[in-house]
Amino acid sequence: MSESRQRPPFKGPRWIITLVVLVTVVVITAFIYPPRNSVACYMFSGPGCPLYQQFLLVPTRELTDSEAAAQVVMNEIMNLPQSKTANPKLAFMFLTPGTLPFEPLWEMFFRGHENKFSVYVHASKKSPVHTSSYFVGRDIHSHKVAWGQISMVDAERRLLAHALVDPDNQHFILLSDSCVPLFDFNYIYNHLIFANLSFIDCFEDPGPHGSGRYSQHMLPEVEKKDFRKGSQWFSMKRKHAIVVMADSLYYTKFKLYCRPNMEGRNCYADEHYFPTLFNMIDPDGIANWSVTHVDWSEGKWHPKLYNARDITPYLIRKIKSIQLAYHVTSDLKKVTTVKPCLWKGEQRPCYLFARKFNPETLDRLMYLFPNYTSLV
């Protein structure tokens, strides 16, 4: 017998393993980052592909005629290029029962910035007597407003409609008669005009004061999973203000089925309409917190009212230094959600305005106002 030859070591498994790894990497890369018009795009249907995106947008149910029309209008508005203006302005919209007690303070705030803002006043009970020239002639046609009723949303929409007439108005701020500014005009102007979000408070509350207020009559357009809650004190970009004006479908659902003492529930449209609307149409376009601070720590139906003895540099500094937004559910679990207040990725103070201040605090606030910028 001839001597058998000794075989060299078999290297096949290494080649196979290397080949499999390379193919796997290529496949995963093609799935995640395919050229948008490539064969790989349509083979793998990755997130970057039109085919994949089209698949994601397929509704889970057939839309009603009104809903389909509303979505077309909303999408057209949301896809419009940002309007360019040589003189972008802030629209300050005051929702008040009558005279504004803090006009002298707002006059200090506005002075020297006359071409960068507009003022609109909606007085729901009696015509206000103005003490500042910035407010004279700025009253809009108003109607009575009842707390917790759809008339509150109607007033907010009425203010937006008047403010939108001026094409230079690029950011719209809803304020009450008890609101005061926390920073100087330039800081607030730059913060809002150059923001990439609308500051609309929005969170999911499964408790009785959140989803517990939802009515099945809102179906099919508004589902319970989309129902949200938030503060009524918003500030929003122009395109979002136009969306509010264009909406009749979702507004009607809240007008008919979100009101006090309906089916044993107390649903307040001003706390739910805007958060739910924007959660449905542009959840990534809102900040999910309001730029107006309100203290609910007393656990009452109304927020804490600041009196003259409360107005100290410490209080102003404390509110201005808040950089985290808190939401607490109304169920027994009392789940607290905390998120940083980010402005283009940079953590900043959450609040630009605050309420609720007693008129007696005016003198004290005016005394402190010149030093607001140093109270950080």
Side-chain angles (χ1 to χ4, degrees):
M1 292 179 63
S2 60
E3 186 177 351
S4 60
R5 291 182 298 175
Q6 190 172 359
R7 293 184 178 181
F10 181 61
K11 298 181 180 181
R14 292 184 181 178
W15 283 99
I16 293 173
I17 293 171
T18 303
L19 182 61
V20 169
V21 170
L22 288 174
V23 171
T24 302
V25 171
V26 170
V27 170
I28 293 174
T29 303
F31 178 80
I32 300 176
Y33 304 107
R36 293 180 61 84
N37 296 317
S38 69
V39 175
C41 187
Y42 291 96
M43 285 178 62
F44 300 110
S45 294
C49 296
L51 182 65
Y52 184 90
Q53 293 171 350
Q54 182 179 359
F55 173 77
L56 288 180
L57 295 176
V58 173
T60 57
R61 58 177 173 79
E62 184 176 357
L63 302 180
T64 64
D65 291 344
S66 298
E67 196 172 7
Q71 287 199 8
V72 169
V73 173
M74 299 288 188
N75 288 335
E76 286 293 322
I77 295 172
M78 295 303 299
N79 289 325
L80 287 174
Q82 184 175 351
S83 58
K84 302 293 184 181
T85 175
N87 183 37
K89 296 192 296 186
L90 298 177
F92 291 83
M93 307 182 305
F94 291 87
L95 185 58
T96 177
T99 296
L100 291 160
F102 293 104
E103 280 191 25
L105 179 64
W106 284 104
E107 182 169 9
M108 291 179 66
F109 172 77
F110 289 137
R111 190 177 299 136
H113 307 283
E114 285 73 11
N115 63 336
K116 292 185 176 181
F117 70 91
S118 303
V119 171
Y120 303 88
V121 180
H122 184 295
S124 61
K125 292 184 179 179
K126 59 182 180 179
S127 180
V129 177
H130 297 297
T131 59
S132 168
S133 60
Y134 294 124
F135 290 82
V136 173
R138 305 310 301 167
D139 300 319
I140 70 169
H141 179 68
S142 306
H143 292 283
K144 290 184 178 181
V145 174
W147 179 79
Q149 302 285 348
I150 194 66
S151 58
M152 187 74 76
V153 176
D154 293 338
E156 295 165 2
R157 286 162 58 97
R158 198 173 294 118
L159 280 162
L160 286 171
H162 282 79
L164 279 166
V165 172
D166 186 343
D168 285 339
N169 287 335
Q170 295 296 304
H171 204 104
F172 303 77
I173 309 150
L174 182 68
L175 299 161
S176 76
D177 58 313
S178 65
C179 285
V180 301
L182 293 173
F183 291 88
D184 65 24
F185 184 91
N186 284 328
Y187 180 90
I188 291 177
Y189 178 87
N190 290 327
H191 188 100
L192 296 179
I193 288 295
F194 298 110
N196 56 357
L197 299 170
S198 290
F199 295 93
I200 297 170
D201 192 25
C202 175
F203 76 105
E204 186 174 8
D205 178 4
H209 302 316
S211 298
R213 296 171 174 175
Y214 173 81
S215 170
Q216 295 289 332
H217 293 295
M218 290 188 175
L219 291 171
E221 292 86 357
V222 181
E223 300 180 47
K224 189 173 185 178
K225 66 179 181 63
D226 297 319
F227 195 73
R228 294 293 185 271
K229 180 183 179 180
S231 168
Q232 75 174 106
W233 308 108
F234 62 79
S235 77
M236 64 176 64
K237 309 296 285 184
R238 187 175 182 89
K239 69 176 180 180
H240 285 155
I242 296 173
V243 163
V244 172
M245 290 295 94
D247 175 46
S248 62
L249 174 64
Y250 304 108
Y251 163 79
T252 301
K253 289 289 183 175
F254 280 85
K255 181 178 182 178
L256 294 175
Y257 306 119
C258 181
R259 59 179 188 266
N261 301 318
M262 180 179 177
E263 300 175 339
R265 304 180 182 92
N266 286 319
C267 185
Y268 307 113
D270 58 292
E271 293 183 6
H272 298 285
Y273 169 61
F274 285 118
T276 302
L277 174 67
F278 288 103
N279 173 63
M280 294 176 65
I281 67 168
D282 192 19
D284 295 329
I286 61 175
N288 297 316
W289 76 85
S290 167
V291 290
T292 298
H293 177 265
V294 184
D295 185 351
W296 290 96
S297 63
E298 294 180 338
K300 300 178 181 179
W301 282 103
H302 297 285
K304 177 179 175 60
L305 177 66
Y306 295 110
N307 295 308
R309 64 179 179 274
D310 300 315
I311 309 306
T312 64
Y314 172 77
L315 173 68
I316 303 298
R317 189 183 300 112
K318 179 182 177 181
I319 297 174
K320 290 176 64 173
S321 65
I322 297 173
Q323 296 189 5
L324 298 173
Y326 292 81
H327 290 116
V328 183
T329 62
S330 60
D331 56 4
L332 294 177
K333 295 181 179 179
K334 300 293 182 184
V335 177
T336 300
T337 303
V338 184
K339 64 176 296 183
C341 296
L342 300 179
W343 187 89
K344 294 186 175 181
E346 172 192 348
Q347 189 165 359
R348 283 192 175 186
C350 299
Y351 304 113
L352 306 179
F353 312 96
R355 68 186 301 267
K356 190 173 184 179
F357 289 83
N358 191 313
E360 71 177 25
T361 63
L362 174 61
D363 290 341
R364 183 65 178 157
L365 286 167
M366 290 186 68
Y367 173 77
L368 290 176
F369 184 79
N371 296 318
Y372 268 19
T373 52
S374 66
L375 300 176
V376 179

